[in-house]
Amino acid sequence: MSTSGSAVIGQRTLIVGASSGIGRGLARALIDNGAIVVAAARRRDRLAELEGATPIACDVTKPGDVESLVEGAVDRMGGLDTLIYATGLSRLHGLDQASYEDWLELFSTNLFGATLLTRAALPHLQADGSHGRAVFLTSDSADRPYPGLVVYGTSKAALRAYTQGLAAEYVDLRVTEVVIGATAGTEVADHFDPDLFGHWLPRWYEEGYIRYEMLQVDDVASMIIEVLEADAPPAVLRATGPEGDQTIEEAIQMAPPDQSAVGSALRPSS
């Protein structure tokens, strides 16, 4: 995928969560459009497959990892123009079963990692010559938490509040929240228990929680690149398809051929 890309040529970009899904697709798109990209995630072997990116392994839940990541990225790129937090962890939990450890696991990845990474990156984003862009991927489930995904939706709603607070405290930064709707091929549900998934998925469709038609990763990446090209990017980008009453079966047809059976809420387990 390629766009005009003029404003992202040479843009020094750190993408966290680049080993799969939207983060990976966005890394590829930015490289194709001339950006300088450091790709970070826990799975360094997946990062090494991103031709043209500099891979750095990082676990955002481990103390010291985010500081080392930012230091390494700045050293390799000679500065930092754009920080993109695409990392996200999703689990199925009934609220009567969700433990303190379950809440901590999701908040550590979906919120705490973002805050610590941003703190480490702020001096570089505010440095002379930096574009000063910070982009955070949230979810439409932050608007209306899906049953079974309340812990996840709550963590994304907290990330939304953080992005608003960051923009209020640092008015010189270009901060954007990207609200992600249903997107095929993201691996977001790869670790869901098949039985729980089969229980909750029909409700999400039948009760209108999944209210946008399915997008592809490349669609979302193109929307985000437009934000990175804008001199005055929006505070919120809704990266969703049109509103509609798409069925599970119709969504299945949009899945990429390599999508796993319990990946991205598209296919029932076989």
Side-chain angles (χ1 to χ4, degrees):
M1 179 190 67
S2 179
T3 67
S4 62
S6 58
V8 300
I9 292 174
Q11 198 170 119
R12 299 164 298 180
T13 306
L14 170 58
I15 304 179
V16 185
S19 62
S20 64
I22 293 169
R24 187 177 184 83
L26 182 57
R28 283 175 168 159
L30 283 167
I31 292 164
D32 287 346
N33 284 288
I36 303 169
V37 174
V38 167
R42 286 179 295 183
R43 295 178 290 180
R44 196 184 188 288
D45 57 328
R46 294 291 304 276
L47 298 174
E49 299 168 1
L50 284 169
E51 186 175 350
T54 298
I56 300 181
C58 175
D59 183 341
V60 298
T61 69
K62 289 185 177 179
D65 260 28
V66 292
E67 292 83 3
S68 296
L69 168 61
V70 171
E71 181 180 349
V74 169
D75 181 63
R76 287 164 174 78
M77 295 189 292
L80 181 63
D81 293 310
T82 302
L83 172 66
I84 299 174
Y85 196 80
T87 294
L89 179 64
S90 182
R91 306 281 196 205
L92 284 175
H93 305 96
L95 286 176
D96 60 334
Q97 299 294 319
S99 66
Y100 170 77
E101 288 74 20
D102 293 327
W103 284 91
L104 183 61
E105 180 189 34
L106 265 67
F107 269 73
S108 293
T109 297
N110 297 342
L111 176 65
F112 303 155
T115 67
L116 296 175
L117 183 75
T118 306
R119 184 180 68 177
L122 275 171
H124 307 288
L125 292 174
Q126 293 185 292
D128 290 343
S130 173
H131 291 204
R133 300 179 188 269
V135 176
F136 303 87
L137 274 58
T138 67
S139 167
D140 70 324
S141 66
D143 301 332
R144 185 186 180 200
Y146 297 13
L149 282 176
V150 175
V151 180
Y152 171 77
T154 304
S155 70
K156 288 296 188 177
L159 181 59
R160 167 177 295 169
Y162 174 74
T163 66
Q164 294 170 353
L166 178 68
E169 284 199 18
Y170 294 89
V171 295
D172 55 331
L173 290 183
R174 296 162 169 167
V175 180
T176 299
E177 174 199 0
V178 181
V179 182
I180 305 295
T183 305
T186 64
E187 301 182 21
V188 70
D190 274 4
H191 302 293
F192 285 176
D193 177 272
D195 292 334
L196 286 176
F197 192 52
H199 169 73
W200 291 115
L201 180 61
R203 283 194 59 186
W204 298 343
Y205 278 92
E206 292 164 8
E207 299 175 18
Y209 287 93
I210 297 180
R211 58 198 182 277
Y212 302 106
E213 294 183 13
M214 195 73 63
L215 291 178
Q216 302 292 328
V217 166
D218 283 352
D219 299 328
V220 177
S222 292
M223 295 179 187
I224 297 174
I225 285 182
E226 289 182 8
V227 167
L228 300 180
E229 291 178 325
D231 288 334
V236 179
L237 167 69
R238 297 198 69 86
T240 62
E243 289 195 42
D245 54 356
Q246 192 174 51
T247 66
I248 297 176
E249 290 72 22
E250 290 169 338
I252 289 170
Q253 298 304 313
M254 299 186 69
D258 60 348
Q259 181 64 52
S260 58
V262 191
S264 79
L266 290 175
R267 296 179 181 172
S269 58
S270 56

